Amino acid sequence: MTSKIDFNKDSFRNGMLLSLYKSMLKPRLIEEKMLILLRQGKISKWFSGIGQEAISVGVTAALDKDEYILPMHRNLGVFTTRELPLYRLFSQWQGKMNGFTKGRDRSFHFGTQEYHIVGMISHLGPQLGVADGIALGYKLKNNHKVCTVFTGEGGTSEGDFHEALNIAAVWSLPVLFCVENNGYGLSTPTSEQFKCENIADKGIGYGIESHIIDGNNILEVYTKVNELAKSVRKEPRPILLEFKTFRMRGHEEASGTKYVPQADLDFWGAKDPLENYQEFLKNEGILSEEIEVSYKEAIIHEINEHLQIAFKEEKVIPNLETELKDVYKKHHYKAIIPAGKKENIRFIDAISQGLEQSMEKYDDLIIMGQDIAEYGGAFKITDQFVKKFSKERVRNTPICESAIVSAGYGLSVNNIKSVIEMQFADFVSSGFNPIVNLLAKSHYRWGQNADIVVRMPCGAGVGAGPFHSQTNEAWFTKTPGLIVVYPAFPQDAKGLLIEAINNPNPVLFFEHKALYRSVYQEVSENYFSTEIGKAALLKEGDQLTIISYGVAIHWVLAVLVNLKNIAVDVIDLRTLQPLDVETIYASVKKTGKAVIVQEDSLFGGIASDISALINEHCFEYLDAPVKRIASLETPIPFDKGLEDQYLVGKNGLEKQILDLLSY
């Protein structure tokens, strides 16, 4: 490889050549100023993109301004080329209110719908799947746009890279996957990250087009990306682009570059994208000293002017109400009353009805999951949906839970609702990262909601064994930003699913498999909603409060058939996050005794939190300790005898209720 950069200006007018120069100069001058401020303690951290400006600027300049772009740490040129006001960037880096995250996140961990930029999270990989979702939205709308997403060579080692490229290939999505191969993932050289010679070679495995581009040549970057973007707008497909470049400074400034051989620094220093391009323009008689000085003076003046605005801005004043209300996008529940004819149907039929009627209401609602199209899903909930709604809207996915969750987020960014089916709730572990780190935090971080429902077939009692039987709601009830719904009856299942889809926030919707075909109820045939966050009082009495949800509610009701002489409140929670504490407290204050029944194993389950809440808020009303009833502290076994033993709470429920009553 040579350090010489060959610029080909044949297809460029002088005005465009100068515009690209000015666009590269701006992030370089901002960075130089930020490094000074970092040493002065006026910003806390900096991820330098010096030496990589040609990629950010060239790619962004080649795109239409209303096309989404998903940048990384070292892509300041994306933000400046999209002409974000500098004072807002400076406020962001100082954690102030005029930034894009209200002081809640730092550096480039933000997005903005106004400028069609979707910010990164530190887990890197999920944003590749987000680009898939945005691009899927483009394709469904048939609006001839392309989505562009950045990652580094380190990010290509993550499973999300494989999942996202595979999905994009299978679905022919208009995505440009831009890999900035800058030599090191923090301190780990590329030789220790992957074995193939070029990252672009990986495109072969996905059956997609790929290209290697000199990432330090602004004209090559712009020309190639502009050409490919035009092509992809006409013929939607993914393309993998590897930009060869180098990181001249540390991963972040505190890391330094002592691990980098001096010869590499010297070689790539000679390939500086800005200095080489500047020299080229001068040699061609396009850039004069006067123009150079005027550009620098104007940019430096803009930087200093906007820095003063940011410096004068007050620090964020913590406001408890604001912090809490921004976790979720505001949603006003509009009751749609059950009406008309009722039909005695199964729990599974109610889920299917709610899903089908929601697909009719929202003509762009997308369902995604494994085997959900022609096959109808593992439980046949979407049987015949393809015939009615098409494969565009009922989409079989590869086995790739993480990227599909991320794609759902991308659809939401593009203003499209989605329902994602986990074939079994256990499998959500493969999509855990984007749920808890992307969906849950997004609205709080930068005001972008995640309009997604994740359906979770769950639970023991059907002989499915350790990998298909978990009721893992407790993984999510402790994560602010998620809604967790867990119905026990068909009418509730339908109404709550409809409302979950109406709600613009991320919802984990648990459906117990043992209830699918065993529980029947008269269910309203019309489209109706049930309010999320409201428990149901199934029985009333003054001796004891029994709190439960899901299949465990049915255990409780079965036991109470034999206990005719006791008067109890039975509360079906229906929703676990948000939790209807008012109904719980009112009942416990009346009865003085409470038992909480869950199928999940005891430690760390939601029963523990409810017990703590009762003790904190109703202690003076209690006549006995709060009792928790749950399953064994083991994985769920396959053998029926072992599984029955695992469900110890179900087996000993009657005795424990009587013991608490007689306390």
Side-chain angles (χ1 to χ4, degrees):
M1 185 184 292
T2 175
S3 62
K4 178 177 173 57
I5 300 177
D6 293 319
F7 295 102
N8 183 353
K9 69 177 182 67
D10 291 349
S11 60
F12 289 88
R13 295 181 178 178
N14 287 357
M16 184 61 181
L17 293 169
L18 288 172
S19 176
L20 290 173
Y21 168 71
K22 189 175 182 181
S23 293
M24 274 206 296
L25 181 62
K26 190 170 188 176
R28 176 66 64 90
L29 293 176
I30 291 172
E31 281 223 41
E32 290 174 353
K33 185 68 173 181
M34 291 306 111
L35 293 175
I36 294 171
L37 296 179
L38 182 69
R39 290 191 291 272
Q40 294 174 344
K42 293 182 179 179
I43 58 173
S44 63
K45 205 174 186 71
W46 188 254
F47 295 87
S48 177
I50 288 177
Q52 297 181 210
E53 294 94 342
I55 304 171
S56 299
V57 171
V59 170
T60 309
L63 300 174
D64 295 338
K65 287 190 175 182
D66 63 349
E67 291 178 321
Y68 283 101
I69 188 166
L70 291 78
M72 293 283 288
H73 288 107
R74 264 166 272 285
N75 296 127
L76 172 59
V78 169
F79 298 90
T80 54
T81 305
R82 281 276 165 98
E83 299 181 330
L84 273 70
L86 293 190
Y87 75 90
R88 293 204 66 191
L89 282 175
F90 299 154
S91 290
Q92 172 68 22
W93 300 335
Q94 293 179 44
K96 293 183 175 178
M97 191 62 74
N98 270 332
F100 294 87
T101 63
K102 301 182 181 180
R104 295 166 182 161
D105 214 333
R106 62 183 182 186
S107 65
F108 296 100
H109 294 194
F110 71 91
T112 160
Q113 281 282 11
E114 182 181 357
Y115 296 93
H116 289 82
I117 294 174
V118 179
M120 60 169 293
I121 66 169
S122 290
H123 298 73
L124 309 181
Q127 75 177 30
L128 300 166
V130 175
D132 281 350
I134 293 172
L136 175 59
Y138 284 159
K139 194 171 181 182
L140 293 169
K141 295 174 182 178
N142 194 30
N143 58 6
H144 307 289
K145 295 188 182 299
V146 61
C147 179
T148 302
V149 58
F150 285 90
T151 192
E153 83 290 331
T156 66
S157 298
E158 292 189 298
D160 289 87
F161 175 82
H162 162 73
E163 292 189 12
L165 265 69
N166 191 50
I167 291 169
V170 171
W171 290 353
S172 298
L173 299 178
V175 186
L176 298 181
F177 293 100
C178 299
V179 180
E180 295 180 289
N181 185 350
N182 63 18
Y184 287 85
L186 209 158
S187 69
T188 305
T190 54
S191 61
E192 297 177 23
Q193 295 185 59
F194 52 86
K195 195 66 175 175
C196 56
E197 183 178 353
N198 302 300
I199 291 170
D201 298 338
K202 297 185 178 186
I204 298 169
Y206 303 103
I208 67 174
E209 181 181 343
S210 63
H211 300 271
I212 297 174
I213 298 173
D214 182 351
N216 286 33
N217 185 332
I218 181 66
L219 299 187
E220 183 178 335
V221 172
Y222 175 84
T223 301
K224 194 64 179 177
V225 174
N226 184 46
E227 169 197 323
L228 292 173
K230 287 179 178 178
S231 174
V232 170
R233 291 181 192 115
K234 293 178 182 177
E235 181 192 344
R237 67 193 189 279
I239 298 177
L240 175 61
L241 302 176
E242 179 183 3
F243 296 92
K244 301 284 191 181
T245 186
F246 200 75
R247 172 163 52 76
M248 295 302 298
R249 303 189 68 85
H251 169 72
E252 39 79 34
E253 286 305 304
S255 303
T257 57
K258 289 183 179 180
Y259 48 83
V260 181
Q262 188 60 44
D264 288 349
L265 291 171
D266 293 342
F267 175 85
W268 285 97
K271 281 180 70 75
D272 183 284
L274 179 61
E275 292 178 2
N276 277 272
Y277 186 55
Q278 179 177 283
E279 182 181 357
F280 165 76
L281 292 178
K282 286 183 176 179
N283 291 338
E284 293 290 322
I286 297 169
L287 177 65
S288 66
E289 292 291 338
E290 291 78 13
I291 293 174
E292 179 189 350
V293 169
S294 69
Y295 283 174
K296 288 182 177 178
E297 286 181 346
I299 293 170
I300 289 171
H301 176 75
E302 181 184 5
I303 290 170
N304 290 331
E305 181 182 23
H306 284 250
L307 272 174
Q308 289 309 308
I309 295 172
F311 286 151
K312 289 178 182 178
E313 185 182 350
E314 296 294 327
K315 289 184 177 180
V316 172
I317 300 172
N319 182 292
L320 186 60
E321 182 181 350
T322 300
E323 290 298 287
L324 291 173
K325 77 177 178 63
D326 281 355
V327 175
Y328 298 93
K329 181 174 182 177
K330 196 169 186 179
H331 173 62
H332 295 289
Y333 171 66
K334 296 179 181 178
I336 305 168
I337 306 301
K341 184 181 175 183
K342 286 190 173 184
E343 183 183 7
N344 191 39
I345 60 174
R346 302 170 298 177
F347 190 97
I348 195 167
D349 302 321
I351 294 288
S352 184
Q353 263 189 28
L355 198 53
E356 182 177 8
Q357 290 176 5
S358 294
M359 291 285 281
E360 292 168 347
K361 176 178 173 61
Y362 299 102
D363 59 12
D364 60 350
L365 173 63
I366 305 301
I367 308 176
M368 299 185 288
Q370 295 161 29
D371 306 300
I372 65 167
E374 290 87 352
Y375 188 72
F379 301 98
K380 303 300 181 184
I381 285 174
T382 53
D383 192 28
Q384 304 300 311
F385 275 35
V386 165
K387 290 182 179 179
K388 184 170 184 177
F389 301 112
S390 83
K391 286 200 72 168
E392 288 292 289
R393 297 183 62 200
V394 184
R395 305 185 74 90
N396 280 337
T397 71
I399 301 175
C400 52
E401 288 83 2
S402 184
I404 288 300
V405 171
S406 299
Y409 179 76
L411 283 169
S412 184
V413 168
N414 218 341
N415 202 31
I416 296 174
K417 290 177 177 286
S418 64
V419 175
I420 297 167
E421 177 183 301
M422 294 291 155
Q423 199 164 71
F424 294 89
D426 312 67
F427 298 169
V428 77
S429 56
S430 294
F432 189 75
N433 175 31
I435 289 175
V436 301
N437 285 311
L438 182 59
L439 308 192
K441 296 180 173 69
S442 179
H443 191 265
Y444 175 76
R445 286 174 54 243
W446 63 282
Q448 174 59 53
N449 66 303
D451 198 346
I452 300 166
V453 176
V454 182
R455 291 186 41 245
M456 303 275 283
C458 65
V462 293
F467 295 117
H468 300 79
S469 302
Q470 292 178 89
T471 174
N472 45 7
E473 66 278 359
W475 294 2
F476 305 103
T477 50
K478 76 164 305 295
T479 304
L482 300 177
I483 293 171
V484 181
V485 179
Y486 204 144
F489 297 94
Q491 178 85 351
D492 287 339
K494 179 178 175 180
L496 286 167
L497 179 57
I498 286 172
E499 179 56 22
I501 294 168
N502 289 337
N503 195 299
N505 295 289
V507 181
L508 279 297
F509 194 89
F510 285 83
E511 306 163 10
H512 202 288
K513 304 189 302 293
L515 301 180
Y516 271 161
R517 292 174 169 83
S518 66
V519 175
Y520 287 74
Q521 192 179 34
E522 293 289 318
V523 176
S524 303
E525 288 186 346
N526 71 310
Y527 177 90
F528 67 91
S529 64
T530 301
E531 187 172 3
I532 288 173
K534 297 294 183 183
L537 189 60
L538 303 184
K539 287 182 176 292
E540 291 190 60
D542 57 8
Q543 291 180 276
L544 173 67
T545 298
I546 303 177
I547 303 160
S548 190
Y549 59 95
V551 74
I553 273 288
H554 296 276
W555 304 346
V556 171
L557 296 175
V559 165
L560 292 179
V561 170
N562 299 323
L563 301 177
K564 301 184 184 299
N565 297 323
I566 66 171
V568 300
D569 271 2
V570 177
I571 298 173
D572 177 5
L573 293 173
R574 301 194 294 189
T575 303
L576 308 182
Q577 180 62 267
L579 188 66
D580 186 356
V581 293
E582 289 80 7
T583 295
I584 294 170
Y585 296 161
S587 176
V588 173
K589 288 177 181 179
K590 177 180 67 173
T591 66
K593 294 179 180 179
V595 59
I596 308 150
V597 187
Q598 66 183 31
E599 179 187 321
D600 192 13
S601 52
L602 187 63
F603 189 83
I606 191 155
S608 299
D609 277 296
I610 295 172
S611 174
L613 286 167
I614 291 171
N615 276 299
E616 288 173 14
H617 295 274
C618 307
F619 180 76
E620 63 271 29
Y621 296 90
L622 290 174
D623 297 321
V626 177
K627 180 68 178 175
R628 296 172 297 149
I629 299 175
S631 297
L632 285 183
E633 297 288 330
T634 71
I636 300 98
F638 159 68
D639 175 77
K640 187 178 188 310
L642 292 175
E643 189 176 39
D644 286 344
Q645 177 180 260
Y646 168 80
L647 298 170
V648 63
K650 173 184 178 182
N651 302 329
L653 188 55
E654 181 173 332
K655 181 180 183 302
Q656 297 205 59
I657 289 174
L658 291 172
D659 287 348
L660 189 59
L661 279 169
S662 62
Y663 181 86

